[in-house]
Amino acid sequence: MTETTVPAALRPWSVGWPEYTPKDITPAELRPSALASQVPDWAEAAPTPAHVTDWAQRQAAALVPFEVDVWGWPLHPQGRTGRTGRNLGRWGENAAADPIVVAGTGEHRQVLLITRDDIGVEAIPGGMVDPGETAPAALVRELREETGVDLADHQPVILGRDIVDDWRQSDHAWVASTSALYLLPATVPAVAADDALDANWWPFGSLDELDAAVTFAGRTLYAAHRPLLQRALDQLADRD
């Protein structure tokens, strides 16, 4: 059978599961026949992980350590996902940067979110780190591209480097993000661009307050970013 939900006991790669048949989520443009004729500018050309030749370097540079199996395929650090194939630019880890911009203090605190154009939810204005780019540079670039806000002169607080529960992840391709907190005394103008349909400031006294405001507006908060936003709130609580 094809599994899309994996029981917690069967997620670890060390646990045998001969019947495991994950769902292939590879879109048409990333299938071998399509890559043979045209490679999207956001993706690597390797049709399978076996065609990747620098796994040792990728493992050494990874934000989150991962293993490669005996066939040369990278294994998701958190175990089986119920999905196989690739719906991301690279096999293995895809490095991302998520700038969390917070303005004001106390009950007047607000956070800057965008409406993503791919899944239509309210999310942190982040994205993938470009080849050869550093995470700090990507944080600034993604924020500027998606909201017009330029914080190149600001020093953020790095919150963590973690796996993100991205909707495109699979057993062999996933997202690991550097999340960072930027603090401003007050809100600044933000205009949606690039991959954003909209950009707005939202109340950010707590995750519940944010969720309620987003829901009241008829929108949905991106579930994968909830842990990152909560980490920012925890950091702010330590400063209060």
Side-chain angles (χ1 to χ4, degrees), residues 117-148:
D117 68 355
D118 54 356
I119 51 178
V121 297
E122 304 307 295
I124 298 165
M128 296 301 174
V129 178
D130 288 340
E133 185 180 38
T134 65
L139 288 163
V140 171
R141 176 184 55 77
E142 285 289 344
L143 180 63
R144 184 174 58 245
E145 288 178 354
E146 297 192 345
T147 69

Side-chain angles (χ1 to χ4, degrees), residues 61-148:
L63 296 178
V64 179
F66 67 93
E67 300 296 327
V68 175
D69 67 18
V70 295
W71 295 282
W73 288 53
L75 298 175
H76 194 298
Q78 296 179 340
R80 297 181 177 96
T81 64
R83 308 176 188 91
T84 190
R86 172 170 64 115
N87 193 13
L88 289 162
R90 289 161 56 94
W91 292 103
E93 181 179 282
N94 290 256
D98 286 304
I100 302 173
V101 184
V102 176
T105 59
E107 63 182 13
H108 302 296
R109 186 180 292 142
Q110 298 182 68
V111 64
L112 179 60
L113 300 179
I114 63 163
T115 306
R116 289 178 53 150
D117 68 355
D118 54 356
I119 51 178
V121 297
E122 304 307 295
I124 298 165
M128 296 301 174
V129 178
D130 288 340
E133 185 180 38
T134 65
L139 288 163
V140 171
R141 176 184 55 77
E142 285 289 344
L143 180 63
R144 184 174 58 245
E145 288 178 354
E146 297 192 345
T147 69

Side-chain angles (χ1 to χ4, degrees), residues 6 10-14 20 25 49 55 59 62 64-69 72-85 88 90-94 162-177:
V6 178
L10 294 174
R11 284 185 64 86
W13 295 108
S14 58
Y20 180 52
I25 62 168
W55 282 121
Q59 287 177 289
V64 179
F66 67 93
E67 300 296 327
V68 175
D69 67 18
W73 288 53
L75 298 175
H76 194 298
Q78 296 179 340
R80 297 181 177 96
T81 64
R83 308 176 188 91
T84 190
L88 289 162
R90 289 161 56 94
W91 292 103
E93 181 179 282
N94 290 256
D162 311 277
I163 297 293
V164 176
D165 188 21
D166 192 276
W167 61 279
R168 297 161 294 183
Q169 71 178 342
S170 74
D171 289 351
H172 309 296
W174 58 90
V175 177
S177 175

Side-chain angles (χ1 to χ4, degrees), residues 213-234:
V214 170
T215 300
F216 183 77
R219 303 187 181 188
T220 302
L221 186 62
Y222 186 31
H225 283 172
R226 288 174 180 270
L228 304 183
L229 291 165
Q230 185 59 59
R231 184 174 294 176
L233 286 165
D234 293 342

